[in-house]
């Protein structure tokens, strides 16, 4: 069986799951969000990384179904955590440009919200610069429609794509995620530190919240706080965890 045929089956047979990684406010120390990240536990191949199967799913169009599954699963899980009094402000779900070009992203989001009964502002969508630049008219319209629904939007891996700064000003997004590659060497590489500082200043001047990804060391967290970065995410707090383990983590953290 090809990996693609396998992935098709995996989706039907429930081999995919979401893991959740906390996002922590740098001032209050509270968990303000969770990012949902897809995982594939294959019966013989073992754990297949999303870095391998997401691009494959995008190529063959399966990302439309996979993306809807992720939205639906994340919204159901927020519902469970909301009912248990454990839900942070929002859960972030990654969305691909292909969900826009080959699927009906707006309808998919609407359905997941309706079915779960969560408040739209509990859902955040992580889009990339390539999502925005692939088809500008279509993506600007989609972003406006999604904002009208009440969901929150963030730009993932910010600084690694090639969107122009002029677009950033027109986009109705709420948050920038500083890419892991800039955060990693920030305290040792002054070039990366300059980029992180610039992204924070730019984002704040446009009224956007800034989250730094890939924070692994306490020194990085201190440095980000000194730069007025708002939120951090990374192994320093926790790696992505299955829903049941995240439930325990949320209990312990509260
Ligand atoms: O969790 P990890 O760092 O291994 O994720 C690798 C990549 O896969 C990241 O770029 C992440 O954004 C992407 N990814 C994980 N889950 C999803 C998903 O549900 N949808 C999309 N489109 N991308 C995902
Ligand atoms: O493209 P995206 O930003 O969605 O992908 C995030 C990826 O980074 C996921 O695969 C996630 O598992 C991984 N990740 C999350 N926190 C850390 C971290 O602190 N260090 C490293 N190296 N990777 C991380
Ligand atoms: Na992401
Ligand atoms: Mn990212």
């Amino acid at each position: 069986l090809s990996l693609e045929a396998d992935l098709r089956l995996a989706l039907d047979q429930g081999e995919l799951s979401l893991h959740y990684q906390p996002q922590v406010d740098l001032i209050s120390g509270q968990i303000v969000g969770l990012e949902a990240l897809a995982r594939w536990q294959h019966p013989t191949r073992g754990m297949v990384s999303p870095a391998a199967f997401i691009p494959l799913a995008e190529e063959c169009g399966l990302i439309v179904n996979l993306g809807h599954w992720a939205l639906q699963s994340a919204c159901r899980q927020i519902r469970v955590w909301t009912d248990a009094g454990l839900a942070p402000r929002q859960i972030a779900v990654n969305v691909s440009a292909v969900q826009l070009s080959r699927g009906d992203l707006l309808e998919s989001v609407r359905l997941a919200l309706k079915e779960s009964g969560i408040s739209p502002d509990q859902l955040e969508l992580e889009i990339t610069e390539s999502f925005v630049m692939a088809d500008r008219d279509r993506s600007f319209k989609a972003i406006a429609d999604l904002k009208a629904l009440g969901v929150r939007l963030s730009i993932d891996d910010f600084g690694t794509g090639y969107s122009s700064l002029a677009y950033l000003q027109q986009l109705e997004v709420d948050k920038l995620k500083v890419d892991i590659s800039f955060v990693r060497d920030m305290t040792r590489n002054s070039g990366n530190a300059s980029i992180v500082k610039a992204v924070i200043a730019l984002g704040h001047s446009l009224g956007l919240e800034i989250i730094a990804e890939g924070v692994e060391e306490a020194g990085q967290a201190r440095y980000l706080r000194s730069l007025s970065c708002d939120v951090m995410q990374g192994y320093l707090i926790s790696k992505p965890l299955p829903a049941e383990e995240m439930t325990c983590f949320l209990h312990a953290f509260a």
Side-chain angles (χ1 to χ4, degrees), residues 61-107:
L62 197 59
I63 193 74
V64 172
N65 290 339
L66 195 158
H68 183 68
W69 163 82
L71 282 165
Q72 189 183 47
S73 308
C75 288
R76 286 179 181 169
Q77 190 60 55
I78 311 175
R79 177 79 221 190
V80 170
W81 281 327
T82 302
D83 292 347
L86 291 171
R89 218 163 57 203
Q90 70 243 173
I91 293 193
V93 178
N94 292 281
V95 297
S96 156
V98 183
Q99 287 171 262
L100 193 61
S101 59
R102 292 173 69 175
D104 189 343
L105 178 60
L106 193 68
E107 190 52 26

Side-chain angles (χ1 to χ4, degrees), residues 119-136:
S119 167
D121 63 6
Q122 289 181 282
L123 178 65
E124 181 172 289
L125 303 181
E126 293 196 5
I127 62 178
T128 57
E129 290 167 278
S130 67
F131 178 102
V132 178
M133 302 310 278
D135 179 344
R136 287 170 214 178

Side-chain angles (χ1 to χ4, degrees), residues 21 35 37 39 94 156-157 180 213-216 234-235 240:
Q21 188 176 37
E35 179 178 0
L37 293 152
R39 295 289 179 264
N94 292 281
D156 199 7
D157 307 332
I180 208 163
E213 305 181 286
V215 177
E216 297 182 353
Y235 298 163

Side-chain angles (χ1 to χ4, degrees), residues 221-234:
R222 275 194 299 275
Y223 187 58
L224 288 163
R225 202 179 307 119
S226 79
L227 299 179
S228 300
C229 184
D230 304 294
V231 179
M232 67 171 162
Q233 176 179 347

